[in-house]
Amino acid sequence: MIKLGISAFYHDSAACITVNGKVIAAVEEERFTEIKHDYSFPVNSIEWCLQHARVKLNQINEVHWYENPETKDNRVRTTFAKKPFKTFFLNRKYKKSKKSQDPKDILESMGYTGEIIYHDHHYSHAAFSYYTSPYDHSAILTVDGVGEWETTTISVGKGNTINKVLKVDFPNSLGMFYSTITAYLGFKPNEGEYKVMGLAPFGDISIYTDKLLSLFTTTSNKFFIDQSPFTWEYSDRVMFTRKLCKLLNLQPRLPGEEIKQEHKDLAAALQKVYEIQFTKLLKTAKNISKSDNICISGGCAYNGVANTLAYKYFKSVYVPFAPSDAGSAIGACLDSHTNITPYLGPEFTDREVKKDLNLYRDKLLIYNLDEDKLIDKTAKLINGGNIVAWFQGKMEFGARSLGNRSILANPRDPKMKDRLNYVVKQREGFRPFAPTITEEEYQKFFEASEPSPYMSRVMKTRTKFIPSATHVDGTCRVQTVSQKQNRKFHKLITLIGNQSSIPVVLNTSFNLKDETITLTPKQAIERYLKSEIDFLVINNFLIKKR
Ligand SMILES: [Fe+2]
């Protein structure tokens, strides 16, 4: 049974191929088009997946679409009908785009006439998390902006079944709430939420928390959001009204404007309110499932601070490596547990790498080393204060670089955060970087009862010795890495530890400002050349600028 999974036309589009339940290949469209969060139909991703699995489109048995276009259309039409005049132009725009977004028409034009199975948006999130988790019985919580109608669901996974027990419908949406305040703070919705999360520990929660909370009505296990300060039902541009400005008694911050204390306070209050609502959902999930395990998914599961709160009710917490809509391309294909790693994308042979390196020979010094020497030398370079771009094997799926397309540096150097922030990534100075540590050692350095292979939770640090990867509140968004998960990366960090006594590396995604994560060796070389990254490693090639 060969399945092709697709997500498209909302957030991050992606494609996936499974053969007899095993995920063979998966990749996000943005990596090919270099458009961040590209949501167009993932033609490039599909083509690569087919090539990699050595099948043609007409050999696919079933296409699994990550959501249900009919139910979604029902939500959009019902919502527009509430305010027909206000939504007149938006409705026209919607009808036009809908015509060109019919999965059946598109796939037929590509030569596929087989079956297309549509899943509920939140089911795809739930399936991706539960079927890739280690649990046979688990609560499943999904939270995002909106799917068809649903914005939040709680299900119970048992064996190979997922039973949805509770749902919250649009317009009551924690994801939209978070994105709206993100926009209010002058950051881009669906992208700037990380920044707001990073800003939160600098603020005072007491200023705006009650005001934001006053917009929520809660029953024992659901929440409702007062819609009067929001435009979610009738605008696709500004997400809030003047009523929100009045309530907060604060002007919205324009992008690029100075970040003042009141902005930090609002960020803090937003995170707090999100955590309060999220904790209620966790409690409900516990009561419903009576399980010690929970899987968390949906775009909001990128909130690593909130995810950690799940330990209040659960012994074990699993967040998949791509909880957003991209991961739903995989989730849509799954109907039973599968062994999976995040390394599902393209990889390049030494021959292919050499070909690209030759194009830039006059600008580069290239050393082809054996693996032991390469890792020893790279560990020394990182410990010595160099920034190293690290490009190995199959590209990661999801928003986080997990050691195959990473920029690595020494977190023990207190100046490294600023150097990386301003010189390489050109991003706001307040944003923290993440550390990666070997699975054997993480409990010595961080307060956590379980590993975090996908950088999905924050942990309190026990050490003062990694200042460049520690946030102002003493937490780190940790990735733990085992030999089984990523042999070469694990070996590198072990060696960094042997040489320095701290087996931790600062790990940030291999891209420069506003770029998507690096896919090809050619991109890697070009980005290396135009940046101030000190060294580039691709496979076993160590590369330095001339
Ligand atoms: Fe979603």
Side-chain angles (χ1 to χ4, degrees):
M1 167 66 81
I2 307 173
K3 296 180 182 177
L4 171 66
I6 303 173
S7 66
F9 301 138
Y10 192 37
H11 290 139
D12 315 87
S13 66
C16 159
I17 282 194
T18 64
V19 178
N20 298 329
K22 192 174 168 15
V23 181
I24 301 297
V27 65
E28 294 139 289
E29 187 68 2
E30 63 155 35
R31 305 292 156 86
F32 295 100
T33 60
E34 297 190 47
I35 299 166
K36 265 186 149 188
H37 303 290
D38 193 347
Y39 55 83
S40 58
F41 190 84
V43 267
N44 298 287
S45 306
I46 293 172
E47 196 182 293
W48 178 78
C49 283
L50 291 170
Q51 240 176 48
H52 186 76
R54 293 167 201 258
V55 288
K56 298 223 156 57
L57 189 58
N58 58 18
Q59 291 174 296
I60 296 286
N61 300 106
E62 290 170 352
V63 167
H64 288 256
W65 191 261
Y66 84 121
E67 65 179 11
N68 189 321
E70 251 176 61
T71 323
K72 191 173 183 171
D73 184 56
N74 172 276
R75 186 251 303 166
V76 176
R77 281 171 191 271
T78 309
T79 308
F80 286 168
K82 277 175 153 181
K83 291 189 168 67
F85 293 108
K86 258 189 176 167
T87 57
F88 182 77
F89 290 107
L90 194 60
N91 198 354
R92 222 162 54 174
K93 196 169 128 190
Y94 167 74
K95 279 181 183 157
K96 218 170 149 189
S97 70
K98 200 181 170 292
K99 257 189 195 159
S100 60
Q101 292 182 353
D102 185 338
K104 192 168 176 276
D105 291 348
I106 300 171
L107 284 160
E108 263 178 22
S109 74
M110 290 168 75
Y112 177 81
T113 51
E115 195 175 0
I116 305 172
I117 296 162
Y118 300 99
H119 299 273
D120 286 352
H121 186 107
H122 277 256
Y123 171 82
S124 300
H125 281 314
F128 181 50
S129 61
Y130 178 62
Y131 291 134
T132 63
S133 80
Y135 316 132
D136 199 42
H137 176 213
S138 171
I140 309 166
L141 171 62
T142 63
V143 187
D144 69 3
V146 62
E148 297 87 2
W149 277 102
E150 291 163 352
T151 69
T152 298
T153 66
I154 295 175
S155 308
V156 179
K158 215 168 197 181
N160 282 339
T161 59
I162 293 175
N163 276 324
K164 186 170 68 187
V165 182
L166 184 137
K167 68 185 180 97
V168 177
D169 278 347
F170 180 82
N172 304 297
S173 163
L174 284 177
M176 288 213 165
F177 181 74
Y178 211 105
S179 294
T180 304
I181 306 296
T182 296
Y184 201 90
L185 286 166
F187 302 111
K188 210 172 163 192
N190 299 324
E191 219 179 289
E193 285 80 0
Y194 299 117
K195 300 181 187 180
V196 176
M197 234 185 300
L199 206 55
F202 293 93
D204 176 351
I205 56 163
S206 71
I207 320 290
Y208 298 108
T209 300
D210 285 346
K211 291 182 177 180
L212 291 180
L213 265 183
S214 72
L215 300 170
F216 283 79
T217 315
T218 45
T219 61
S220 57
N221 51 24
K222 286 195 181 192
F223 60 87
F224 300 91
I225 301 177
D226 175 5
Q227 287 303 302
S228 61
F230 303 115
T231 65
W232 311 338
E233 292 185 298
Y234 56 87
S235 170
D236 64 346
R237 291 190 172 177
V238 186
M239 300 176 83
F240 51 86
T241 69
R242 268 195 211 141
K243 229 179 152 181
L244 189 62
C245 314
K246 238 184 183 169
L247 172 77
L248 297 172
N249 193 19
L250 172 74
Q251 285 303 307
R253 174 181 167 266
L254 294 172
E257 256 180 22
E258 188 197 344
I259 298 173
K260 295 188 182 147
Q261 188 55 42
E262 50 262 41
H263 302 127
K264 296 173 188 170
D265 294 341
L266 181 57
L270 169 65
Q271 179 65 24
K272 183 71 196 167
V273 170
Y274 179 76
E275 288 175 19
I276 291 170
Q277 301 302 337
F278 191 72
T279 303
K280 282 184 191 164
L281 293 169
L282 291 167
K283 195 178 171 189
T284 307
K286 175 72 186 184
N287 289 341
I288 287 174
S289 68
K290 307 269 186 293
S291 172
D292 285 334
N293 312 316
I294 186 164
C295 302
I296 308 173
S297 198
C300 294
Y302 273 123
N303 196 318
V305 182
N307 291 345
T308 306
L309 300 170
Y311 285 101
K312 212 172 156 183
Y313 302 105
F314 297 90
K315 280 191 189 139
S316 188
V317 179
Y318 174 79
V319 183
F321 45 82
S324 65
D325 290 358
S328 294
I330 304 174
C333 291
L334 302 179
D335 53 17
S336 60
H337 282 84
T338 183
N339 261 336
I340 199 169
T341 88
Y343 311 106
L344 295 165
E347 68 180 328
F348 299 86
T349 61
D350 284 351
R351 210 177 160 167
E352 289 168 310
V353 174
K354 248 188 210 164
K355 212 175 120 202
D356 286 341
L357 284 171
N358 278 335
L359 299 173
Y360 300 88
R361 228 183 170 100
D362 54 327
K363 293 184 180 133
L364 300 170
L365 292 166
I366 302 156
Y367 308 92
N368 190 0
L369 306 174
D370 70 46
E371 187 181 294
D372 284 341
K373 258 192 196 148
L374 175 98
I375 291 181
D376 180 62
K377 182 85 186 140
T378 307
K380 281 182 181 141
L381 286 171
I382 291 170
N383 281 332
N386 293 285
I387 298 172
V388 177
W390 176 256
F391 182 115
Q392 301 292 336
K394 293 184 173 186
M395 185 182 61
E396 300 91 337
F397 188 98
R400 304 262 157 84
S401 282
L402 299 170
N404 279 5
R405 300 288 188 279
S406 290
I407 292 173
L408 306 176
N410 177 3
R412 286 169 287 121
D413 176 357
K415 289 186 187 140
M416 188 52 79
K417 180 181 155 188
D418 286 345
R419 191 174 160 217
L420 267 171
N421 261 335
Y422 295 114
V423 178
V424 179
K425 301 216 111 180
Q426 291 162 23
R427 60 186 208 177
E428 299 84 355
F430 65 83
R431 292 176 64 194
F433 284 104
T436 303
I437 186 166
T438 55
E439 200 173 293
E440 297 88 334
E441 302 273 357
Y442 78 95
Q443 283 179 322
K444 274 192 209 159
F445 294 88
F446 303 103
E447 289 175 22
S449 56
E450 287 188 298
S452 166
Y454 308 140
M455 235 181 231
S456 54
R457 302 192 324 260
V458 301
M459 301 176 186
K460 274 239 177 275
T461 168
R462 298 183 202 270
T463 171
K464 288 193 177 102
F465 299 118
I466 50 165
S468 277
T470 307
H471 204 22
V472 61
D473 57 356
T475 63
C476 303
R477 187 163 46 77
V478 180
Q479 180 200 3
T480 57
V481 66
S482 65
Q483 198 180 16
K484 196 177 158 218
Q485 184 193 341
N486 191 328
R487 189 189 57 81
K488 209 166 174 178
F489 194 36
H490 179 267
K491 201 166 157 186
L492 174 68
I493 300 171
T494 305
L495 215 59
I496 285 174
N498 292 348
Q499 291 171 10
S500 70
S501 78
I502 297 188
V504 184
V505 71
L506 187 158
N507 174 12
T508 184
S509 53
F510 186 1
N511 59 292
L512 307 175
K513 188 180 163 60
D514 296 329
E515 289 176 348
T516 52
I517 295 175
T518 302
L519 167 67
T520 65
K522 191 161 183 277
Q523 253 176 349
I525 298 162
E526 282 172 2
R527 290 170 175 191
Y528 168 63
L529 281 171
K530 73 177 179 189
S531 72
E532 301 211 17
I533 296 170
D534 301 307
F535 290 85
L536 169 63
V537 178
I538 307 182
N539 296 354
N540 283 348
F541 296 97
L542 176 66
I543 300 143
K544 188 178 186 290
K545 289 168 198 147
R546 274 185 197 271

